[in-house]
Amino acid sequence: MSGAADTKAGYMQGFREKYSFRDVKRDDLNIRLFGDVAVMTGPLTQRLIVRETGEVMEVRAFTTQVWHRSGEGWVMNTCHNAPLKV
């Protein structure tokens, strides 16, 4: 969560090359529907390992995601994570 914008390709590359995700936890989600659009907000905790160093990290954030319902189901359009103070 450096504040930099990322593309889907860059985000997925991080999964493959930079990080090994161990655990993802979501609590108290708030989901609001607006026709074929859903806005989901709530806390997110991720435990991951930095592949290059082996460092274990815990990321705590408040996330906002925007989803759109298409013929193939729900597709995420936008995701924004803001770090929570520990």
Side-chain angles (χ1 to χ4, degrees):
M1 293 184 296
S2 66
D6 205 351
T7 63
K8 180 180 178 182
Y11 183 76
M12 297 307 290
Q13 182 179 4
F15 274 99
R16 288 188 305 275
E17 299 176 9
K18 295 180 183 178
Y19 307 106
S20 176
F21 285 81
R22 293 297 181 226
D23 185 55
V24 176
K25 181 180 177 187
R26 301 296 304 260
D27 291 318
D28 300 326
L29 291 177
N30 181 329
I31 302 171
R32 293 169 288 161
L33 292 173
F34 304 95
D36 287 335
V37 173
V39 177
M40 183 173 72
T41 58
L44 166 71
T45 303
Q46 297 175 325
R47 281 189 49 244
L48 54 96
I49 297 174
V50 179
R51 292 182 188 272
E52 187 174 293
T53 65
E55 175 189 2
V56 177
M57 296 177 59
E58 182 172 279
V59 177
R60 296 181 62 220
F62 189 87
T63 187
T64 301
Q65 297 174 343
V66 179
W67 296 77
H68 178 261
R69 184 179 8 220
S70 71
E72 299 174 13
W74 288 95
V75 177
M76 188 185 336
N77 172 278
T78 303
C79 178
H80 177 265
N81 295 318
L84 293 174
K85 289 186 177 184
V86 179

